[in-house]
Amino acid sequence: MGVIERFTWRGRHVPLARRAELQRLRRLPCHIIASGPSVAEIDYEALPMHHVMGVNGAIALADRAPIKFNYYCILDAGFVRQRPDLVRRIVARDLVLFITPVVLARLLEMFPMSAFGCRFYLVDDIFKRGMEAARTPEALRANARVAASAAFFGEQGRLGFSFDIDNGFFHGGTVAYFALQVATWLGFTEMYLHGVDLRDASHTPRFYETMHTRAPTRLDAEFASLIEPSFRHAAEVLRSRGVRVENLSHVSALGDDIFAKVDWRSLRRRNLSLVVPDEAVSAAVAENAASNAAPALRPTGTHGHS
């Protein structure tokens, strides 16, 4: 239990990102981009994003817009095996990749060291870490360190939310749920979910797939018993801590009572420390000039600030 500080592969030390360089209170929001088809409805060239976290195949959005991913999450070795083309693009980027030791070993088997431009941060499932024996909910609740940094849900206590991923994360049935824990651990208090559709996933291709190339998924099978209750309870504990999460997927199977659903265009009109696009500034200047109103709008943030 605790930070995974070293990883050796075939006698070679693999450098890892450090907790101290990543954790801090973030002033600007984090956009967590998943793979649901609703992301195709967002004009990413018109949506300034200061901090972006991708999961699995979100990297394919870079074919449509110049998105800079700062962070990335991969949990599924199956995704690595099925889409090495996308994985190669992810690991080549200058970003921090949150990953389990098992998946990292898979990457190191597939690609030469020269293929990696990313930095790795290693994490593991809260119930089963590496070669350690599986731990029960009762044992975890009795551990003071874990109990202070995790919220357990449900009668069996196998659902939960981790505020300290170094003590392990709760799977929640989808990598987007893991990403939500990572973003919270990083210090973000304002987050937007993209493409977390979770609806009819077995018959609906991800935004970068076709009906013929879509990969299998367990999202539909695990939605009612694992995914929905995990997000529902996470929303409660996050709200209690002053963390705001909003869902940009209007077709998401997660109800409005979990995370409010908002149109991505509304982010351009809010004072949320986002840079207002040029056309919005021009419109505001014209409107203010016509009505002799207050001074024109100005950008409310600067790319690169935390």
Side-chain angles (χ1 to χ4, degrees):
M1 187 177 303
V3 181
I4 302 174
E5 297 182 334
R6 294 177 57 84
F7 189 87
T8 302
W9 175 252
R10 294 177 179 171
R12 296 185 61 180
H13 175 64
V14 179
L16 304 177
R18 300 296 180 185
R19 176 183 180 124
E21 65 189 81
L22 296 176
Q23 274 194 309
R24 61 180 179 271
L25 182 63
R26 312 279 179 164
R27 182 173 61 86
L28 300 177
C30 181
H31 293 258
I32 299 174
I33 303 181
S35 303
S38 68
V39 299
E41 302 173 10
I42 298 176
D43 181 357
Y44 282 96
E45 297 211 38
L47 180 61
M49 299 183 293
H50 297 80
H51 298 284
V52 181
M53 180 180 295
V55 307
N56 288 1
I59 192 70
L61 272 178
D63 296 334
R64 309 182 186 186
I67 297 175
K68 174 176 171 52
F69 290 94
N70 309 98
Y71 312 102
Y72 223 93
C73 297
I74 299 177
L75 292 182
D76 185 4
F79 169 73
V80 173
R81 181 179 63 256
Q82 293 157 5
R83 295 305 305 257
D85 56 323
L86 296 179
V87 174
R88 180 182 288 274
R89 295 170 62 182
I90 294 166
V91 301
R93 294 278 187 120
D94 178 16
L95 52 79
V96 180
L97 176 56
F98 292 85
I99 197 168
T100 65
V102 170
V103 177
L104 176 54
R106 180 76 179 181
L107 293 179
L108 294 171
E109 285 179 347
M110 293 176 62
F111 304 116
M113 292 301 293
S114 60
F116 297 102
C118 66
R119 293 180 294 154
F120 301 106
Y121 197 91
L122 291 181
V123 292
D124 229 333
D125 190 294
I126 197 167
F127 293 108
K128 183 69 173 69
R129 291 170 61 86
M131 302 302 292
E132 298 177 8
R135 295 178 290 183
T136 66
E138 293 75 20
L140 289 172
R141 288 173 185 267
N143 184 299
R145 182 173 178 177
V146 173
S149 63
F152 291 84
F153 318 136
E155 294 181 2
Q156 304 300 319
R158 299 201 67 85
L159 307 185
F161 191 92
S162 176
F163 291 95
D164 188 347
I165 58 173
D166 288 329
N167 291 331
F169 64 86
F170 291 87
H171 194 280
T174 170
V175 67
Y177 190 74
F178 167 56
L180 191 61
Q181 293 167 85
V182 172
T184 303
W185 176 85
L186 283 168
F188 291 104
T189 58
E190 193 173 305
M191 292 169 253
Y192 298 99
L193 304 179
H194 302 229
V196 184
D197 298 353
L198 304 172
R199 185 180 297 280
D200 197 23
S202 297
H203 303 96
T204 306
R206 299 162 181 86
F207 77 87
Y208 56 87
E209 296 177 328
T210 67
M211 288 297 291
H212 298 293
T213 63
R214 71 184 189 277
T217 177
R218 291 190 53 79
L219 291 179
D220 293 340
E222 296 183 340
F223 181 78
S225 62
L226 176 59
I227 298 172
E228 197 273 355
S230 291
F231 276 109
R232 178 173 297 280
H233 290 292
E236 295 174 4
V237 297
L238 289 172
R239 278 193 293 268
S240 71
R241 292 189 174 214
V243 177
R244 179 167 66 183
V245 182
E246 294 185 325
N247 191 350
L248 301 187
S249 172
H250 66 93
V251 298
S252 176
L254 299 177
D256 282 321
D257 58 334
I258 297 178
F259 300 126
K261 294 180 182 178
V262 299
D263 190 292
W264 68 269
R265 298 172 190 84
S266 69
L267 303 190
R268 301 169 63 186
R269 299 189 292 268
R270 295 191 202 174
N271 184 10
L272 289 176
S273 299
L274 291 171
V275 175
V276 180
D278 292 341
E279 65 269 22
V281 174
S282 300
V285 170
E287 181 180 347
N288 286 334
S291 61
N292 294 318
L297 294 174
R298 292 290 185 269
T300 57
T302 304
H303 285 279
H305 287 188
S306 295

